[in-house]
Amino acid sequence: GAGVSQSPSNKVTEKGKDVELRCDPISGHTALYWYRQRLGQGLEFLIYFQGNSAPDKSGLPSDRFSAERTGESVSTLTIQRTQQEDSAVYLCASSLFQGAIGEQYFGPGTRLTVT
Amino acid sequence: AQTVTQSQPEMSVQEAETVTLSCTYDTSESDYYLFWYKQPPSRQMILVIRQEAYKQQNATENRFSVNFQKAAKSFSLKISDSQLGDAAMYFCAYKETSGSRLTFGEGTQLTVNP
């Protein structure tokens, strides 16, 4: 079956503009995660959705970042008034459920460049 | 807060040889999960191997095996018979049993020389 998909693959934007990044999880996966990966670094957790529960937003770095998820399907990560430090790869992952080992399957990421 | 440390930013190995990547972590939990992910230039994160902390037996997946030392909070990855396709960034990651997020180390860039 299809894996996690993300769009766009690459995005170049000017400082101060808003951007939307999209994630399509694996069908049937109730949990969805967003991570940020700065150049040469590991992944940083941003936000987590589980079914209809309130999302865990504890990793969002500022109020310029927000995310939505419609049911158990598509999620959108929005960054408002982008800054150069927002340049990174944004990775989405999904899993069947949070509990137990909850193996996360990752998408190919969106590379965001803020000029 | 949990932290994951990978002390080797870069490693290299000759094709067909064995290499070990190091990972240490800090946690006050007694039960948790540990993972090694591989990230090739395509950016796709691929799960290589996983270990449940309550299991004493080290996990093995074909040429990949781990040395899990719970008391020392160490979780190293051994790659045997290295292949050119193993060249990638490798990340060690930690997850609480009741938690959702993965906590990643900074990564180790592995080069495989022909």
Side-chain angles (χ1 to χ4, degrees):
Chain A
V4 178
S5 61
Q6 293 186 245
S7 60
S9 177
N10 293 282
K11 176 72 176 178
V12 180
T13 190
E14 292 180 352
K15 177 181 173 181
K17 300 282 189 183
D18 298 352
V19 295
E20 283 190 354
L21 312 179
R22 178 187 169 107
C23 172
D24 283 90
I26 294 172
S27 178
H29 280 194
T30 61
L32 186 147
Y33 313 77
W34 283 98
Y35 293 87
R36 177 172 71 179
Q37 185 179 24
R38 288 187 162 132
L39 184 64
Q41 298 185 17
L43 281 69
E44 306 169 75
F45 168 80
L46 295 178
I47 188 169
Y48 158 70
F49 296 90
Q50 170 64 52
N52 295 319
S53 302
D56 176 0
K57 305 179 182 180
S58 60
L60 294 178
S62 78
D63 58 8
R64 296 187 296 105
F65 288 71
S66 63
E68 293 183 347
R69 187 182 186 193
T70 307
E72 294 183 354
S73 60
V74 171
S75 176
T76 302
L77 177 69
T78 301
I79 309 173
Q80 296 178 310
R81 304 180 303 280
T82 52
Q83 305 294 310
Q84 288 187 331
E85 63 261 28
D86 298 334
S87 295
V89 174
Y90 290 83
L91 290 151
C92 175
S94 69
S95 67
L96 269 174
F97 42 76
Q98 169 201 333
I101 199 151
E103 180 177 334
Q104 296 182 22
Y105 295 83
F106 284 82
T110 294
R111 181 181 298 281
L112 175 65
T113 303
V114 182
T115 61
Chain B
Q2 289 81 14
T3 58
V4 178
T5 302
Q6 293 179 248
S7 59
Q8 306 154 314
E10 298 176 349
M11 291 283 285
S12 63
V13 63
Q14 291 296 125
E15 196 174 3
E17 297 294 310
T18 296
V19 65
T20 299
L21 308 184
S22 300
C23 173
T24 59
Y25 57 94
D26 185 26
T27 183
S28 58
E29 302 294 322
S30 60
D31 201 12
Y32 44 87
Y33 303 110
L34 296 165
F35 305 85
W36 279 98
Y37 279 88
K38 168 185 177 181
Q39 187 181 43
S42 66
R43 297 197 307 247
Q44 186 79 51
M45 295 286 282
I46 302 164
L47 179 64
V48 174
I49 199 166
R50 60 190 180 196
Q51 174 82 41
E52 288 115 314
Y54 67 87
K55 290 186 177 179
Q56 293 186 337
Q57 186 174 7
N58 289 323
T60 299
E61 289 287 343
N62 301 313
R63 298 183 295 107
F64 299 86
S65 61
V66 298
N67 183 5
F68 173 48
Q69 300 290 327
K70 190 172 184 180
K73 297 180 182 175
S74 171
F75 182 62
S76 61
L77 174 69
K78 185 172 83 172
I79 306 174
S80 303
D81 185 25
S82 297
Q83 300 176 1
L84 295 178
D86 295 334
M89 183 72 88
Y90 285 81
F91 291 97
C92 179
Y94 166 98
K95 179 180 178 292
E96 292 182 1
T97 53
S98 60
S100 56
R101 70 184 69 184
L102 290 167
T103 300
F104 286 87
E106 295 291 297
T108 296
Q109 181 67 52
L110 178 66
T111 301
V112 181
N113 300 309

